[in-house]
Structures are given as structure tokens and as C-alpha cells.
């Protein structure tokens, strides 16, 4: 993991410089970035609105796989599942890692956790205390909106299908003499969310990559977790 951590300092540096507005002058300093001018179909606010609409109508459940490679060898892999339907949000990674939230009409939210594959009641608190800490505004934004950090600096490069959904491919490349960073995103045509993200970095002869890919995207046939009743 030391190698991948070292290589991705380059990627993080590129991200920070881009977000701070230095992209225009970066090429003169580091030997030429390979960016474009293509924009995403939906900006960040429009994408969030699409996700909220989907959550309030059909609901959705999305599973994704995270991965890391060093010199072509897989070093890490994990999978997460997120769901929103009928005022219930849930997330789990395995039989012992997960949480669920039931939003009541009385401005209170009931929280649950999972252990050995079984959900159990945790507590009940005012919904305002959770504002901005869960749901798609934050809990999913790390991956769902990840491409928007580079909006306007992409090169669009065809289409693909991820988890049965049509996606546009957008690429962003950053070259710094002997260091190279490449980002590739697959963007859902219907909602604008990021369905696949891959970050590859190389320094001399060493290389590493990390990313995620949505493996399942359900908008029907969704099973809400079987949550126990509230404990009085």
C-alpha cells in the first residue's frame, strides 16, 4: 500500500489544483495537461435533483465494487450497497457493517444497525440532527457526484453500458513530466450520476490504480430491509 499511497499524492495534488482554479496555468509549469472543454449533461444541482426525484418516486438500490491495483495486481476490493425507498435509507457492506434510517412524519428518525445479517433498533432522534450527514446529500456523494469536480475540463470519449444503464464516457488526463494521472468516468445518461470511476497513476516504471464500478442499479423490485419495531 505504500506505493499506491505515494502515487496518488500526484492525483490528489491534481485534484486540488484543478478545484482551486489553477488549471489554466498548469500546463506551462509541468509540461502540459491533456484536458478538454466538454461538460457533463447535467451539472451538480441538476444531478442531485434527478437523484431526489428517483428516490421519491420509484426509489433505488445501488451496489458498487471498489478496487485498487498495483502494477497490475489487485491489492484491495470491497463492495457497498445503498438503497432509498418509502422514507427508508439503508447501507451495508457485509453482514456486520451497515445502517438504516426510517424518516417519520413526526420529524423523528429511527436508526438501525446490522449484526450477523440481522437489523436491530439503535435509537430515535430528531431528524434535524441528521440533516446533511446521511442520505444522498453526503452519504452517496463521495462516488455519486465524483465526476462533477472536473466538469468543463473533460474530453468526451464515446459511450458504454454499466449495470444495464447507458453511460457517456468522460476522460481527464494530467501529465507532470515523469508523472502521469488519468481519470475516466462513466456517467449515467438518465440521471447524471457517476457509474464508474477509475484513477490511474504512474511514476517512471511504477503504476497503480483505484476506482469503483456500479454492479447493480435497481429502480424496481426493491426489497426494503426487514427492520424490527421501535423499542419503547
Amino acid at each position: 500500500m505504500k506505493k499506491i499511497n505515494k502515487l496518488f499524492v500526484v492525483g490528489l495534488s491534481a485534484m486540488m489544483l484543478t478545484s482551486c482554479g489553477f488549471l489554466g496555468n498548469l500546463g506551462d509549469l509541468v509540461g502540459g495537461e491533456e484536458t478538454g472543454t466538454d461538460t457533463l449533461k447535467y451539472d451538480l444541482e441538476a444531478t442531485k435533483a434527478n437523484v431526489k426525484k428517483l428516490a421519491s418516486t420509484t426509489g433505488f438500490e445501488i451496489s458498487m465494487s471498489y478496487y485498487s491495483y498495483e502494477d497490475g495486481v489487485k491489492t484491495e476490493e470491497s463492495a457497498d450497497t445503498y438503497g432509498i425507498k418509502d422514507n427508508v435509507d439503508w447501507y451495508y457492506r457485509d453482514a456486520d457493517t451497515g445502517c438504516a434510517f426510517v424518516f417519520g412524519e413526526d420529524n423523528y428518525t429511527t436508526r438501525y444497525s446490522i449484526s450477523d445479517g440481522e437489523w436491530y433498533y439503535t435509537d430515535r432522534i430528531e431528524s434535524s440532527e441528521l440533516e446533511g450527514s446521511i442520505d444522498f446529500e453526503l452519504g452517496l456523494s463521495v462516488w455519486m457526484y465524483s465526476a462533477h469536480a472536473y466538469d468543463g475540463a473533460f474530453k468526451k470519449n464515446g459511450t458504454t453500458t454499466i449495470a444495464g444503464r447507458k453511460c457517456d464516457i468522460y476522460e481527464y488526463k494530467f501529465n507532470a513530466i515523469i508523472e502521469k494521472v488519468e481519470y475516466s468516468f462513466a456517467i449515467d445518461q438518465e440521471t447524471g450520476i457517476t457509474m464508474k470511476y477509475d484513477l490511474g497513476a504512474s511514476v517512471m516504471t511504477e503504476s497503480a490504480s483505484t476506482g469503483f464500478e456500479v454492479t447493480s442499479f435497481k429502480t424496481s423490485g426493491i426489497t426494503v430491509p426487514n427492520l424490527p419495531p421501535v423499542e419503547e
Side-chain angles (χ1 to χ4, degrees):
M1 293 303 292
K2 289 183 179 179
K3 180 189 297 184
I4 199 167
N5 289 337
K6 178 181 69 176
L7 292 175
F8 286 125
V9 168
V10 180
L12 291 174
S13 298
M15 181 181 294
M16 289 186 290
L17 288 171
T18 301
S19 64
C20 292
F22 293 129
L23 187 60
N25 298 322
L26 203 53
D28 296 333
L29 298 175
V30 299
E33 78 283 6
E34 300 178 26
T35 61
T37 59
D38 294 332
T39 58
L40 301 173
K41 180 180 179 180
Y42 298 106
D43 64 18
L44 181 58
E45 293 308 312
T47 301
K48 287 183 176 182
N50 290 338
V51 173
K52 289 180 179 179
K53 181 179 179 181
L54 192 63
S56 63
T57 54
T58 63
F60 62 81
E61 185 177 65
I62 302 176
S63 297
M64 67 201 68
S65 176
Y66 298 89
Y67 58 86
S68 293
Y69 286 85
E70 291 185 11
D71 296 328
V73 179
K74 183 177 289 187
T75 58
E76 185 178 3
E77 184 175 25
S78 61
D80 288 351
T81 294
Y82 298 87
I84 300 175
K85 184 177 176 61
D86 298 335
N87 294 322
V88 182
D89 291 18
W90 63 93
Y91 154 80
Y92 61 87
R93 172 162 292 178
D94 52 44
D96 293 305
T97 305
C99 53
F101 304 84
V102 179
F103 298 90
E105 296 181 356
D106 57 355
N107 294 321
Y108 276 83
T109 296
T110 306
R111 300 193 292 188
Y112 298 85
S113 295
I114 193 171
S115 179
D116 294 327
E118 296 291 332
W119 293 97
Y120 63 90
Y121 169 80
T122 303
D123 59 9
R124 192 167 181 266
I125 63 174
E126 291 187 23
S127 298
S128 60
E129 295 184 32
L130 295 173
E131 186 175 355
S133 64
I134 57 171
D135 205 76
F136 40 77
E137 286 298 329
L138 181 63
L140 307 185
S141 63
V142 172
W143 65 269
M144 182 174 282
Y145 309 127
S146 55
H148 288 83
Y150 303 91
D151 198 6
F154 286 119
K155 288 183 179 180
K156 190 174 180 180
N157 188 20
T159 61
T160 187
T161 300
I162 304 292
R165 297 178 69 88
K166 293 182 179 179
C167 300
D168 295 316
I169 299 173
Y170 290 87
E171 297 176 343
Y172 170 81
K173 298 180 181 180
F174 174 85
N175 292 309
I177 308 177
I178 63 172
E179 302 167 332
K180 186 176 182 179
V181 180
E182 296 184 358
Y183 299 84
S184 178
F185 300 88
I187 309 301
D188 182 45
Q189 292 182 348
E190 181 180 347
T191 63
I193 71 171
T194 303
M195 296 283 289
K196 183 177 181 179
Y197 159 72
D198 187 81
L199 164 59
S202 61
V203 179
M204 300 296 286
T205 60
E206 297 182 337
S207 65
S209 64
T210 189
F212 71 83
E213 180 173 354
V214 172
T215 56
S216 175
F217 194 129
K218 295 181 180 179
T219 56
S220 63
I222 302 169
T223 302
V224 177
N226 184 20
L227 302 173
V230 176
E231 297 180 7
E232 299 295 340

